Amino acid sequence: MKVVHIIENLLSGGRERRLMEFLKACQGREDIENHLIILSDEIFFTEIKNIPHTIISRKEFNEVKCLYEIYKFCIKYNPDIIHAWGELAACHASVVKFLLRKKLVNGMVSSAGDKITFKRQAYAKFSFVFSDIILSNSQAGLRSFNVPKVKSRQVYNGFNYDRLKNLKSKEEITQRFNIKTKMIVGMVANFTAHKDYDTYLESAKRIVGIRNDVSFLCVGEGWNMGIKQTRNMDDYKREYACANIIFTGMQKDIESISNILDIGVLISHGEAISNSILEYMALGKPVVATNKGGTPELIENNGNGFLVEYKNVDELVEKLQLLIDSPELRDRMGKRSKEIIEEKFSITSMVNGIIGIYTSLINGKRI
């Protein structure tokens, strides 16, 4: 089967990594041929050089011209399936699907929570009409977008253990960021609209105010639409940065940084399935995360970590302090994290799940 994938960019986000892991895992298979269309020249993943791809940059073309270029490419390539991996990509793909009568898998549902912007709702309302399948990596995402049951499908992210090969030493990473403390807590997340750095940093500020044996890392860059105001990373740094609250900015070796953590944290306004949490778990870390969206599909409360209520700084401080003070609890929860990854979140399961959806669509079978 021939599949065209369309995505807005290849920056370092979760859906982008999921797409790249899928395309890499498909290489060498005889049952599928993939080609990727990227609507930007913004590319974080160097592995793209080994993936058949075409750049149709929205910086170079207006939206109508982009749509026309996608349409021309699909006429020439003649795919069996078009798989859109983002909101705008899904809208472009919807028009091409209508004109060429191709099967469309809509993968724009990659987040979950209460705060779905009007623009995303509009993209969903338009593209869902034309989609044969609406695919999410969590049940919570499908519920958040009110996806019609007849079209909804869910396949969990898969974690690629190759990412954990050749990790840099913990000494090298701690020296890079001048970390002197015994304990390290970290949140690996860009400063985007879905992340709740306000709650994480308020909790960090309280803890470092009463003890000096723990450092808090903020690993990412960009803008955060917090409840206080629209702020970028520099605004947060001015308010919170100190010897034990460290802003790393964009980093390439995320796995090596996650590996030095004693506790992995993800506080957000709503996730589907977070790649950061998957990474913490694969590395054997206990996780503290917001009890929203698809996160409860990853975290067993009191099993491999703690689920904390939305915007509850007191509860987050309590759970972090409990883990900081209990190496036995951290060890038990970290072991359970690894077990869950092996049980539910393998690359093979993800790839077989997505290809199974493609195959059923082509064969005209109900999935």
Side-chain angles (χ1 to χ4, degrees):
M1 71 186 85
K2 296 172 72 175
V3 183
V4 165
H5 303 264
I6 308 174
I7 194 165
E8 284 90 333
N9 58 62
L10 274 184
L11 296 176
S12 59
R15 73 173 63 164
E16 293 84 2
R17 182 173 291 282
R18 187 175 187 230
L19 168 60
M20 288 302 299
E21 295 293 359
F22 174 77
L23 294 176
K24 288 189 295 181
C26 286
Q27 289 179 309
R29 291 184 64 129
E30 297 181 355
D31 57 344
I32 186 169
E33 176 185 313
N34 294 297
H35 193 99
L36 173 60
I37 295 176
I38 313 166
L39 303 182
S40 169
D41 56 5
E42 297 176 302
I43 296 175
F44 173 84
F45 296 93
T46 56
E47 309 98 299
I48 190 62
K49 63 180 181 293
N50 300 316
I51 304 291
H53 66 282
T54 299
I55 296 175
I56 301 175
S57 176
R58 296 172 60 219
K59 292 181 180 178
E60 182 178 351
F61 304 113
N62 61 37
E63 296 299 347
V64 174
K65 180 64 173 174
C66 275
L67 174 59
Y68 181 59
E69 293 296 322
I70 296 169
Y71 171 74
K72 287 197 304 181
F73 179 89
C74 288
I75 289 177
K76 183 178 179 180
Y77 189 73
N78 191 28
D80 301 292
I81 302 279
I82 301 173
H83 188 158
W85 290 76
E87 295 90 344
L88 186 61
C91 291
H92 284 314
S94 295
V95 177
V96 175
K97 177 256 167 64
F98 175 76
L99 295 174
L100 300 182
R101 295 296 187 262
K102 299 296 181 182
K103 299 293 185 181
L104 173 58
V105 175
N106 185 341
M108 69 164 280
V109 180
S110 60
S111 62
D114 304 325
K115 295 185 177 181
I116 300 175
T117 65
F118 175 79
K119 181 184 286 189
R120 296 193 79 202
Q121 290 175 352
Y123 285 147
K125 187 173 183 178
F126 173 75
S127 63
F128 285 5
V129 172
F130 298 95
S131 302
D132 296 282
I133 293 295
I134 300 160
L135 176 63
S136 176
N137 60 349
S138 74
Q139 289 295 328
L142 296 171
R143 291 192 297 269
S144 293
F145 281 83
N146 295 313
V147 176
K149 288 187 177 181
V150 70
K151 293 185 176 185
S152 66
R153 303 292 183 272
Q154 179 259 318
V155 176
Y156 282 132
N157 294 14
F159 186 83
N160 184 354
Y161 277 93
D162 288 343
R163 290 165 53 190
L164 304 186
K165 295 179 179 178
N166 304 313
L167 294 175
K168 294 182 173 67
S169 71
K170 293 187 178 182
E171 292 75 15
E172 180 180 346
I173 301 299
T174 55
Q175 288 175 12
R176 182 194 306 175
F177 300 115
N178 196 30
I179 299 170
K180 305 294 186 182
T181 57
K182 176 182 176 182
M183 295 292 301
I184 306 172
V185 177
M187 177 158 149
V188 179
N190 284 328
F191 289 74
T192 65
H194 300 300
K195 312 306 178 188
D196 181 12
Y197 265 104
D198 293 303
T199 299
Y200 173 68
L201 285 166
E202 281 296 325
S203 301
K205 183 178 179 180
R206 284 195 195 178
I207 293 173
V208 301
I210 59 176
R211 60 194 303 165
N212 59 9
D213 62 341
V214 57
S215 293
F216 286 81
L217 299 189
C218 306
V219 186
E221 66 175 2
W223 290 78
N224 182 273
M225 303 292 286
I227 57 170
K228 298 178 180 178
Q229 57 185 340
T230 302
R231 299 194 287 175
N232 65 18
M233 187 177 67
D234 289 335
D235 295 322
Y236 283 102
K237 286 171 71 173
R238 281 190 288 270
E239 183 172 350
Y240 292 103
C242 63
N244 290 349
I245 299 180
I246 300 164
F247 294 79
T248 71
M250 175 61 71
Q251 300 292 319
K252 291 277 188 178
D253 49 353
I254 296 298
E255 295 83 4
S256 294
I257 296 171
S258 295
N259 192 43
I260 73 169
L261 303 179
D262 296 287
I263 305 165
V265 178
L266 189 71
I267 305 302
S268 72
H269 303 295
E271 301 282 326
I273 297 296
S274 163
N275 280 293
S276 292
I277 294 180
L278 287 177
E279 194 167 90
Y280 301 150
M281 292 169 63
L283 287 163
K285 311 297 181 183
V287 184
V288 182
T290 311
N291 188 17
K292 285 177 70 71
T295 300
E297 297 173 47
L298 276 167
I299 305 299
E300 297 174 354
N301 196 29
N302 296 306
N304 66 312
F306 293 115
L307 294 168
V308 296
E309 293 308 309
Y310 182 58
K311 292 290 180 186
N312 193 326
V313 174
D314 291 338
E315 186 181 16
L316 180 55
V317 169
E318 175 193 344
K319 299 306 185 187
L320 289 174
Q321 291 268 55
L322 180 60
L323 283 167
I324 290 167
D325 291 330
S326 177
E328 295 82 7
L329 182 61
R330 295 198 305 272
D331 183 63
R332 175 175 65 80
M333 288 185 164
K335 288 178 180 177
R336 182 58 188 145
S337 283
K338 280 189 172 183
E339 291 171 356
I340 293 171
I341 292 292
E342 293 165 359
E343 291 167 4
K344 295 173 61 177
F345 296 95
S346 72
I347 284 288
T348 300
S349 295
M350 181 185 78
V351 171
N352 289 343
I354 294 174
I355 290 180
I357 289 170
Y358 296 162
T359 302
S360 296
L361 272 179
I362 291 171
N363 293 337
K365 297 179 180 178
R366 184 175 178 83
I367 306 169

